[in-house]
């Protein structure tokens, strides 16, 4: 009995094993059919819309990168423009601070720590103001022209209209004869523009300005002379030192070889000897004061506004602004008188003086026509000197005297100056 139950159990297990095998084989066939490349192997999919979308997204990413680069460049340019505006506002702030009547230190001045004074005779104060930061945005066209003709950021500048055409020719021919390359004529009318171009003379004509153009085209010597203080401002803002020159001047040497450049303004004098040009103690006598009848005064003859070297500094620009403003508000004023008053008058109650340094040029190098015709031509030793320039400022017969100066100093004609009187007749 027990043996039959044992045989029956063994047969049941055999059927189960056989069924399991059959099921395994069947499942294997099904999986083989459904997954011919294997159940765990990566599936290769045919090119479909999804693949195209991936490639499309790559293209879109490239475009976005390019757009971001372009936007970055735009922002960089905008940032540079904002920085330039900040610089301009800072400069305007400095000018505003200087004009408020308080002696405030400007950002352009090099600050230093307090120092101990040295031994007797060794102490020297700061004499030279620092130059302004050049700003080419003020006048890009003029900036480009000056970069081509200036030497060491310096240039001779003269204003001229058709009324002074003959003197202008003597003026620029004397400059060419000396070999001075850095000079410029600011033409106040089209006739002078054409005249300069015909003679290969560097010329610049400002953009139209109704107020300036009216005076420039029709004004006399004094009116035109007053324009220079307004026009020169842009030259200084661009960072150039300017030797401002009237056209009634003959050049015999290069003036840039004879400048000191230690002051805001370096000007020739109307003085006719060392005392009048460089200063003297003049005693004022008032007898009614009795014991105190004598009062000592310090005097110096005026600077000539027809020839001065001006450095590109804040005080220099303030000087130009002050003179131009007064000439506008006081149309009957003489520009040379206003120029000297602004340079000389000290601060006092109700008035803030100009804090500008100044130097007087050597009167025998930068010679006015009174010195030449009243003194030099009559002195055997002084006649041997060759001045840097001669300015025919004291005499109305300018053109013939200019030609005589050329004949004497350039062509060696010893009697060229003899026919003229000391003064005017």
């Amino acid at each position: 009995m027990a043996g039959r139950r044992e045989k029956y159990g063994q047969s049941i297990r055999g059927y189960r094993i056989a069924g399991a095998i059959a099921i395994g084989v069947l499942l294997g066939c099904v999986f083989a059919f459904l997954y011919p490349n294997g159940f765990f192997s990566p599936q290769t999919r045919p090119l479909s819309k999804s693949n195209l979308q991936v490639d499309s997204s790559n293209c879109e990413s490239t475009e976005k990168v390019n757009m971001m680069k372009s936007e970055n460049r735009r922002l960089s340019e905008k940032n540079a423009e904002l920085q330039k505006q900040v610089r301009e506002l800072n400069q305007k702030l400095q000018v505003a601070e200087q004009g408020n009547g308080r002696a405030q230190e400007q950002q352009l001045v090099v600050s230093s720590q307090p120092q101990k004074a040295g031994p007797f005779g060794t102490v020297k104060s700061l004499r030279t103001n620092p130059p302004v930061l050049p700003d080419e945005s003020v006048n890009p066209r003029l900036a480009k022209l000056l970069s081509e003709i200036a030497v060491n950021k310096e240039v001779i500048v003269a204003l001229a209209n058709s009324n002074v055409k003959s003197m202008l020719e003597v003026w620029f021919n004397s400059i060419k004869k000396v070999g001075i390359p850095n000079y410029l004529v600011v033409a106040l009318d089209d006739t002078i523009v054409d005249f300069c171009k015909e003679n290969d003379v560097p010329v610049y004509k400002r953009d139209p300005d109704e107020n300036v153009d009216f005076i420039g085209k029709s004004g006399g010597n004094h009116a035109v002379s007053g324009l220079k203080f307004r026009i020169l401002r842009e030259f200084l803002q661009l960072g150039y030192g300017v030797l401002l020159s009237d056209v009634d001047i003959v050049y015999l040497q290069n003036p840039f070889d004879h400048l000191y450049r230690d002051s805001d303004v370096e000007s020739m004098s109307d003085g006719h000897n060392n005392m009048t040009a460089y200063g003297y103690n003049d005693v004022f006598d008032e007898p009614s004061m009795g014991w105190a009848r004598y009062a000592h005064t310090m005097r110096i003859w005026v600077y000539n506004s027809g020839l001065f070297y001006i450095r590109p500094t804040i005080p220099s620009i303030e000087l130009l602004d002050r003179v131009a403003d007064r000439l506008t508000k006081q149309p009957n004023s003489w520009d040379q008188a206003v120029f000297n008053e602004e340079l000389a008058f000290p601060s006092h109650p109700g008035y803030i003086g100009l804090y500008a340094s100044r130097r007087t040029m050597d009167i025998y190098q930068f010679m006015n026509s009174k010195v030449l015709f009243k003194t030099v031509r009559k002195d055997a030793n002084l006649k041997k000197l060759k001045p840097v320039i001669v300015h025919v400022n004291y005499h109305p017969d300018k053109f013939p005297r200019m030609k005589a100066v050329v004949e004497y100093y350039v062509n060696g004609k010893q009697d060229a100056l003899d026919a003229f009187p000391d003064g005017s007749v």
Side-chain angles (χ1 to χ4, degrees), residues 79-374:
N79 183 54
E81 178 66 22
L82 290 173
Q83 287 179 346
K84 185 177 75 173
Q85 292 177 11
V86 169
R87 288 196 300 270
E88 292 173 354
L89 289 172
N90 281 335
Q91 290 181 356
K92 290 179 181 178
L93 178 62
Q94 291 165 10
V95 174
E97 286 176 346
Q98 194 180 44
N100 66 7
R102 296 190 300 270
Q104 299 177 346
E105 277 205 13
Q106 300 162 36
Q107 293 180 8
L108 289 177
V109 177
V110 180
S111 61
S112 60
Q113 296 297 324
Q115 299 178 8
K116 291 183 178 180
F120 179 82
T122 65
V123 177
K124 300 293 182 183
S125 63
L126 182 65
R127 286 168 170 78
T128 306
N129 285 308
V132 299
L133 295 172
D135 183 4
E136 293 190 1
S137 66
V138 169
N139 190 330
R141 184 165 65 90
L142 179 59
K144 183 177 183 300
L145 177 60
L146 291 176
S147 68
E148 295 170 353
I149 66 173
V151 176
N152 296 326
K153 301 284 284 187
E154 294 177 325
V155 63
I156 300 172
V157 174
L159 278 65
N161 62 14
S162 299
N163 295 334
V164 296
K165 185 177 178 181
S166 58
M167 288 190 293
L168 177 64
E169 186 171 17
V170 178
W171 180 84
F172 65 63
N173 280 336
S174 71
I175 287 177
K176 289 182 178 181
K177 182 72 174 179
V178 174
I180 304 169
N182 48 329
Y183 68 102
L184 178 68
V185 174
V186 177
L188 300 176
D189 57 43
D190 293 332
T191 299
I192 294 299
V193 173
D194 296 336
F195 182 61
C196 288
K197 289 180 178 179
E198 290 169 3
N199 289 275
D200 195 26
V201 171
V203 63
Y204 166 73
K205 191 169 188 295
R206 289 166 48 88
D207 292 333
D209 184 320
E210 184 177 346
N211 294 326
V212 172
D213 292 344
F214 176 76
I215 299 173
K217 292 177 181 178
S218 58
N221 286 347
H222 282 214
V224 171
S225 185
L227 287 178
K228 60 195 173 196
F229 297 98
R230 186 179 300 275
I231 293 174
L232 279 183
R233 191 184 208 280
E234 291 183 342
F235 288 79
L236 268 58
Q237 283 182 279
L238 294 172
Y240 288 85
V242 176
L243 182 67
L244 189 283
S245 172
D246 282 353
V247 296
D248 56 346
I249 292 175
V250 176
Y251 285 77
L252 302 168
Q253 298 185 59
N254 190 329
F256 294 110
D257 295 336
H258 300 272
L259 297 176
Y260 285 80
R261 300 175 179 84
D262 62 349
S263 305
D264 296 304
V265 177
E266 198 167 337
S267 180
M268 73 170 294
S269 172
D270 272 1
H272 59 92
N273 54 29
N274 287 352
M275 184 178 74
T276 57
Y278 308 138
Y280 62 102
N281 184 355
D282 185 42
V283 179
F284 177 77
D285 184 11
E286 190 175 6
S288 64
M289 288 297 294
W291 176 80
R293 64 181 290 179
Y294 299 110
H296 290 259
T297 69
M298 298 305 301
R299 299 189 63 183
I300 183 172
W301 285 33
V302 296
Y303 289 138
N304 191 290
S305 63
L307 186 89
F308 60 87
Y309 176 76
I310 186 165
R311 294 179 59 246
T313 67
I314 290 294
S316 296
I317 294 175
E318 184 183 2
L319 170 65
L320 298 180
D321 288 351
R322 285 187 178 212
V323 175
D325 181 62
R326 282 187 56 184
L327 292 175
T328 299
K329 295 176 180 177
Q330 305 165 10
N332 294 325
S333 297
W334 181 26
D335 69 283
Q336 180 161 294
V338 174
F339 174 70
N340 278 273
E341 288 171 3
E342 292 297 336
L343 275 174
F345 287 173
S347 296
H348 55 262
Y351 176 78
I352 302 300
L354 179 70
Y355 294 89
S357 56
R358 58 196 186 275
R359 167 182 282 274
T360 305
M361 292 174 167
D362 187 322
I363 62 170
Y364 294 109
Q365 291 186 333
F366 296 87
M367 190 183 297
N368 64 56
S369 55
K370 182 176 182 178
V371 172
L372 174 62
F373 286 96
K374 188 175 180 180

Side-chain angles (χ1 to χ4, degrees), residues 44-56:
T44 56
R45 292 174 292 179
L47 190 62
S48 62
K49 275 189 177 180
S50 62
N51 298 102
L52 293 174
Q53 289 173 353
V54 171
D55 293 339
S56 176

